[in-house]
Amino acid sequence: MTKISTSERLSFDEYLAYDNETDTRYELVTGALVEMPPESDDNNDIAKRLLAELLKYFPIHLIAYKDTEIEVSGRLAKCCLPDLMLHTKASKVALLGSARATLTRDMSPPALIIEIVSPGSANRNRDYRHKHTEYAARGVSEYWIVDPELQQITVCKWHDGQYEDMLFKNQDHLMSETLLNSELTVADLFGQHGLK
């Protein structure tokens, strides 16, 4: 994760208009552009496994895979690019006709956001602390923190303006109001991705 040097903090509108004519992806963190480097192969495999699980229960048009941003609250402008997102009908409809897949604060929140924690204390802090607070404030019904290093999944369920967290490890079946009938276990998700 690299902060890009700009002479001043960007507003949300400036961020949406920003184009450095590269394919580099950014998040906006307190008004600063933060480069999002490519994920590790293991994290990409985990994201694909979760995508496959979501596709068992939801139509593909409601699922965003590393391609839809969400504006969140903060002292300064902030926009996140989750690994996976499950839209509500209202959040999907809000994007119809948009030039950019960005859920702004005036649009309905998605039903679920999934973040796969990348290595490093800054990434861990961002996903467990900052995004936890931001997604709750945004009214996202569920937020999953998928942690390959700790081999655990934290399912954060929105209740009365904050998240109630449930921790899943090993052979635990992932329990979620979003995926009521899933038989996915944490061990399955963090397995060797079919390489054994």
Side-chain angles (χ1 to χ4, degrees), residues 10-20 22-28 33-34 36 67-71 78-81 87 91-104 107:
L10 297 177
S11 69
F12 185 68
D13 289 335
E14 290 168 330
Y15 167 73
L16 291 178
Y18 180 79
D19 182 5
N20 67 354
T22 71
D23 291 333
T24 305
R25 299 168 71 156
Y26 299 96
E27 284 189 352
L28 185 64
L33 289 176
V34 177
M36 303 308 294
D67 62 2
T68 301
E69 302 169 301
I70 182 167
E71 181 184 18
K78 193 151 190 201
C79 191
C80 300
L81 182 62
H87 285 285
S91 68
K92 185 62 178 178
V93 166
L95 291 175
L96 292 177
S98 297
R100 183 171 177 157
T102 302
L103 288 173
T104 59
M107 297 176 177

Side-chain angles (χ1 to χ4, degrees), residues 37-127:
E39 288 285 348
S40 71
D41 193 49
D42 285 343
N43 280 17
N44 282 332
D45 286 346
I46 291 166
K48 287 184 247 178
R49 193 171 287 225
L50 286 165
L51 174 62
E53 188 69 16
L54 289 173
L55 286 169
K56 293 178 186 176
Y57 304 96
F58 301 99
I60 195 166
H61 73 275
L62 290 179
I63 302 169
Y65 179 75
K66 302 182 183 214
D67 62 2
T68 301
E69 302 169 301
I70 182 167
E71 181 184 18
V72 294
S73 300
R75 262 184 328 124
L76 298 169
K78 193 151 190 201
C79 191
C80 300
L81 182 62
D83 292 304
L84 288 150
M85 181 185 295
L86 176 65
H87 285 285
T88 61
K89 288 181 183 176
S91 68
K92 185 62 178 178
V93 166
L95 291 175
L96 292 177
S98 297
R100 183 171 177 157
T102 302
L103 288 173
T104 59
R105 281 186 268 180
D106 62 330
M107 297 176 177
S108 295
L112 168 67
I113 288 179
I114 301 172
E115 295 281 8
I116 301 168
V117 181
S118 296
S121 61
N123 293 320
R124 180 169 303 288
N125 194 38
R126 186 178 71 245
D127 289 342

Side-chain angles (χ1 to χ4, degrees), residues 105-173:
R105 281 186 268 180
D106 62 330
M107 297 176 177
S108 295
L112 168 67
I113 288 179
I114 301 172
E115 295 281 8
I116 301 168
V117 181
S118 296
S121 61
N123 293 320
R124 180 169 303 288
N125 194 38
R126 186 178 71 245
D127 289 342
Y128 276 96
R129 292 187 60 219
H130 302 290
K131 289 184 179 181
H132 187 275
T133 302
E134 293 157 357
Y135 292 154
R138 186 67 170 76
V140 176
S141 298
E142 277 190 16
Y143 169 42
W144 297 1
I145 305 168
V146 179
D147 194 326
E149 185 177 330
L150 297 178
Q151 299 279 292
Q152 67 184 27
I153 300 171
T154 306
V155 173
C156 313
K157 177 67 182 150
W158 194 84
H159 181 74
D160 289 335
Q162 63 185 10
Y163 282 135
E164 294 177 358
D165 300 347
M166 297 179 294
L167 185 64
F168 299 93
K169 293 182 171 196
N170 304 318
Q171 295 301 320
D172 292 343
H173 279 87

